[in-house]
Amino acid sequence: WLDQAKMQLDATYHPIVLGQRLFIGSSYDDSLTAYDTRSGKEIWRFFADGPLRFAPLAWQDKVYFAADDGYLYCLQADDGSLLWRFRGGPSDRKILGNERLISTWPARGAPVLADGKIYFAAGIWPFMGIFLHAIDATTGAAIWTNDGDGSMYIKQPHNTDSFAGVAPQGPLVAIGSRLLVPGGRSVPACYDRNTGDFLYYQLAENGKKGGGSFVAATDELLFNGGSAFDLKIE
């Protein structure tokens, strides 16, 4: 097994700050580390079982992150103790990816918070299944799961029908009642944030426009890969 091309995001870390603590995830040693913002002193370090490729998320007294071991983690921000973790894929099956042992369904759809819920995605090969989840941010209980929109027989950018699908790579975006899932090399897919229902994935319609793990959105537009797209289109 080979992973997708090495991600440029691994070239740098993506810290966040909550109060007087700075949190940094590492794709090198699979850790999340908290530092004191005043002294720079390390406060605690927590190790997952796979690389952390995207920025963590902090809310109230908790910090959340997704890892290539396929799990979404919730830690106590003060001391780094594990409160809960949620497996994104159907099992703990491991494979080799980028010369590392990772989950067959790595959690590369980094978490986003909205209305007390955490949304994240696991799986990067559509034919192996893509798993999108809404989780109660306090308890870690599943609110809904979409596990049926992996490989789809759809038109490709060259207008030929073939199997493809969104391969989550990057932080998800919650905007109104919609949830955007970046695809790394393709335009984002759009889901209903309240139900997890698939709304659209315009792979062929946009040709080779879009792509990349970073997505931003307003009420009417989404921005990805140097292009702007109509958010409401279906």
Side-chain angles (χ1 to χ4, degrees):
W1 287 87
L2 294 176
D3 199 352
Q4 295 186 359
K6 289 183 181 294
M7 300 185 66
Q8 295 180 357
L9 289 167
D10 289 350
T12 184
Y13 288 157
H14 306 272
I16 65 167
V17 172
L18 176 67
Q20 294 179 335
R21 285 177 172 79
L22 182 143
F23 304 96
I24 301 178
S26 172
S27 60
Y28 177 74
D29 68 1
D30 309 346
S31 71
L32 182 73
T33 306
Y35 295 93
D36 188 295
T37 57
R38 297 158 295 181
S39 67
K41 180 181 178 181
E42 180 179 319
I43 301 173
W44 54 258
R45 181 171 297 195
F46 179 92
F47 290 93
D49 290 325
L52 282 64
R53 302 192 183 278
F54 297 98
L57 184 156
W59 179 63
Q60 295 182 348
D61 57 351
K62 303 176 183 64
V63 59
Y64 308 83
F65 67 90
D68 268 13
D69 61 8
Y71 281 86
L72 172 72
Y73 289 83
C74 175
L75 308 182
Q76 187 70 40
D78 289 343
D79 58 13
S81 58
L82 178 65
L83 297 176
W84 53 261
R85 68 175 188 166
F86 187 97
R87 189 178 68 205
S91 77
D92 283 321
R93 177 185 175 187
K94 303 292 186 183
I95 58 171
L96 287 176
N98 288 345
E99 302 177 353
R100 302 290 298 279
L101 194 63
I102 65 171
S103 170
T104 304
W105 302 273
R108 297 267 183 91
V112 64
L113 171 75
D115 302 326
K117 304 177 185 66
I118 295 283
Y119 303 88
F120 84 107
I124 57 175
W125 296 284
F127 69 94
M128 293 295 293
I130 300 300
F131 300 84
L132 186 63
H133 305 280
I135 309 296
D136 186 291
T138 301
T139 66
I143 298 171
W144 57 252
T145 292
N146 182 328
D147 58 2
D149 295 325
S151 187
M152 300 176 283
Y153 195 69
I154 57 177
K155 285 192 178 297
Q156 307 299 301
H158 46 70
N159 285 320
T160 299
D161 292 325
S162 182
F163 286 100
V166 62
Q169 295 267 18
L172 276 55
V173 172
I175 179 76
S177 63
R178 305 204 171 201
L179 184 67
L180 304 177
V181 181
R185 296 180 179 177
S186 66
V187 293
C190 184
Y191 291 80
D192 186 303
R193 187 165 68 85
N194 297 313
T195 64
D197 291 340
F198 174 79
L199 296 179
Y200 61 82
Y201 177 50
Q202 296 188 315
L203 182 59
E205 292 85 344
N206 289 300
K208 295 184 178 180
K209 297 184 179 69
S213 59
F214 293 109
V215 180
T218 66
D219 291 340
E220 297 181 353
L221 297 173
L222 71 90
F223 304 89
N224 173 246
S227 299
F229 302 89
D230 186 350
L231 178 63
K232 305 297 184 182
I233 196 168
E234 296 189 21

